[in-house]
Amino acid sequence: MEIKTYLNNQRLAVEGALEGYMLAAGVENGLFAAHVEAMRYSLFAGGKRIRPILCLAAAEAVGTRPELDADLLPIACALECIHTYSLIHDDLPAMDNDDMRRGKPTNHKLYGEAGAILAGDGLLTWAFDLLSGEESGLPPEKRLAIIHLIARAAGSLGMVGGQLLDISNEHKEFPFETLRAIHRSKTGALIMASILAGGVAAGADQGQKEALRCYGEQVGLAFQIVDDLLNATSTTAQLGKAAGSDACRGKATYPAYFGIEATRQKAEAAVEEAESALISFDAKADPLRAIARYIITRSH
Ligand code: GRG
């Protein structure tokens, strides 16, 4: 399987669906046009769409029902909306105060702080609109389970809590376990929820859910380790956002604890564990396997 082609096709499917749902919601014009423009600016700014793609790939690994993708796309899109909201808020002056993201000015640089806060709020709320609305044909009990696991992952016990833990520990020394807790909640929780949501939608049994959980844990870890490595070793032009910003902000990172080479080995080990977690799955899990490999070779 050619992973680049697969990722590109899935990305286009997610982007097409996002466009379609936005048009159908009828929010493009009228009184709220400026707000929707700010939401659209970040939503279509060139993200990799890795969370929605993981969601679709996890469902593919578990089941082959042909209409599954159509049922799942609103859920995949909701995950991307939540991720985009988190980046808009993360870039705000009150948080990381970043001017550039994906090679473009950050949301608040164009729409002001209030506009960016509300663009993030709008995306987060729209995500739950998509999860609970008419767009998906999944049965209500599956939808409820998915909404619950995504809400848990995005909220105070997941991404929001992790962000606060991260910010409040800047310029402080703390044990490595705290760094793992920051990563697990700030970055890992939404990645895990994306994978489990796909599994639940496809009707994963207990054993399959457990395997997906192990895979998600390791892929989330690899993703964050690589993010730390890229921040430490790439240029701003390569990243499309400020390189070296972790060190400037006094953020603890894997390279700060272990050095670059040992950090690379840890990323490789996490990917190998992610692959092992899928041992009981057949070839339908090949996209999940390839995504795990892609994560440590990505350049931005
Ligand atoms: C504001 C509640 C709140 C949370 C923010 C996600 C996040 C929490 C902060 C972003 C900081 C950061 C660099 C985290 C490391 C991993 C990460 C989420 C990277 C960005 O995700 P990608 O690489 O981004 O999937 P693209 O641009 O491809 O969408």
Side-chain angles (χ1 to χ4, degrees), residues 42-43 45-52 80 82-92 95-96 98 101-102 124 154-155 158-164 166-167 183 185-188 190-191 220 223-228 230-231 239 241 245-246 249 251 294 298 300:
S42 294
L43 199 51
K48 295 183 290 296
R49 318 300 190 190
I50 203 74
R51 294 153 193 81
E80 188 64 16
I82 295 172
H83 166 62
T84 306
Y85 124 77
S86 80
L87 297 182
I88 296 173
H89 283 196
D90 183 62
D91 291 334
L92 285 167
M95 298 212 198
D96 276 4
D98 275 313
R101 158 115 19 217
R102 301 162 173 159
L124 174 61
M159 189 172 68
V160 169
Q163 176 76 347
L164 185 63
D166 187 19
I167 289 173
H183 286 169
S185 46
K186 189 182 85 166
T187 316
L190 193 62
I191 290 178
F223 191 87
Q224 180 65 60
I225 296 178
V226 170
D227 208 77
D228 283 1
L230 290 175
N231 192 284
L239 287 183
K241 60 182 179 182
S245 57
D246 288 342
R249 290 198 188 97
K251 284 200 198 268
Y294 156 79
R298 72 190 176 101
H300 66 283

Side-chain angles (χ1 to χ4, degrees), residues 21-30 32-33 36-37 39 126:
Y21 299 140
M22 237 181 197
L23 275 176
V27 289
E28 297 284 325
N29 301 307
F32 307 116
V36 176
E37 189 195 312
M39 285 164 64
W126 191 45

Side-chain angles (χ1 to χ4, degrees), residues 14 18 21-22 39-40 42-44 47 49-52 55 72-91 95 101-102 107 116-132 143 145-156 158-161 163 185-195 197:
V14 169
L18 277 168
Y21 299 140
M22 237 181 197
M39 285 164 64
R40 287 186 65 95
S42 294
L43 199 51
F44 295 102
R49 318 300 190 190
I50 203 74
R51 294 153 193 81
C55 176
L72 210 54
L73 271 170
I75 291 154
C77 289
L79 289 159
E80 188 64 16
C81 290
I82 295 172
H83 166 62
T84 306
Y85 124 77
S86 80
L87 297 182
I88 296 173
H89 283 196
D90 183 62
D91 291 334
M95 298 212 198
R101 158 115 19 217
R102 301 162 173 159
N107 198 287
I117 290 168
L118 292 169
D121 293 343
L123 284 165
L124 174 61
T125 316
W126 191 45
F128 285 91
D129 191 328
L130 280 174
L131 287 168
S132 57
R143 275 219 254 168
I146 289 169
I147 291 168
H148 183 65
L149 73 86
I150 292 177
R152 230 345 127 80
S156 305
M159 189 172 68
V160 169
Q163 176 76 347
S185 46
K186 189 182 85 166
T187 316
L190 193 62
I191 290 178
M192 175 76 86
S194 305
I195 295 161

Side-chain angles (χ1 to χ4, degrees), residues 122-291:
L123 284 165
L124 174 61
T125 316
W126 191 45
F128 285 91
D129 191 328
L130 280 174
L131 287 168
S132 57
E134 301 287 289
E135 288 83 357
S136 169
L138 283 178
E141 61 280 5
K142 276 190 183 170
R143 275 219 254 168
L144 191 58
I146 289 169
I147 291 168
H148 183 65
L149 73 86
I150 292 177
R152 230 345 127 80
S156 305
L157 299 178
M159 189 172 68
V160 169
Q163 176 76 347
L164 185 63
L165 206 55
D166 187 19
I167 289 173
S168 55
N169 276 299
E170 283 178 5
H171 300 290
K172 286 187 188 155
E173 283 195 15
F174 50 79
F176 174 65
E177 288 65 39
T178 308
L179 180 67
R180 274 301 281 130
I182 291 172
H183 286 169
R184 203 172 264 132
S185 46
K186 189 182 85 166
T187 316
L190 193 62
I191 290 178
M192 175 76 86
S194 305
I195 295 161
L196 289 179
V200 169
D205 62 28
Q206 219 33 56
Q208 288 171 319
K209 276 191 221 163
E210 216 25 70
L212 289 176
R213 198 180 287 283
C214 293
Y215 169 85
E217 175 79 24
Q218 296 305 321
V219 158
L221 173 62
F223 191 87
Q224 180 65 60
I225 296 178
V226 170
D227 208 77
D228 283 1
L229 270 172
L230 290 175
N231 192 284
T233 58
S234 297
T235 64
T236 297
Q238 284 165 328
L239 287 183
K241 60 182 179 182
S245 57
D246 288 342
C248 292
R249 290 198 188 97
K251 284 200 198 268
T253 60
Y254 263 73
Y257 277 91
F258 301 108
I260 300 290
E261 207 32 59
T263 298
R264 285 212 172 97
Q265 285 165 16
K266 284 183 187 296
E268 174 62 35
V271 169
E272 280 168 19
E273 282 207 40
E275 288 169 329
S276 306
L278 299 177
I279 196 86
S280 59
F281 286 84
D282 62 17
K284 295 200 296 296
D286 282 352
L288 281 184
R289 296 183 178 98
I291 294 169

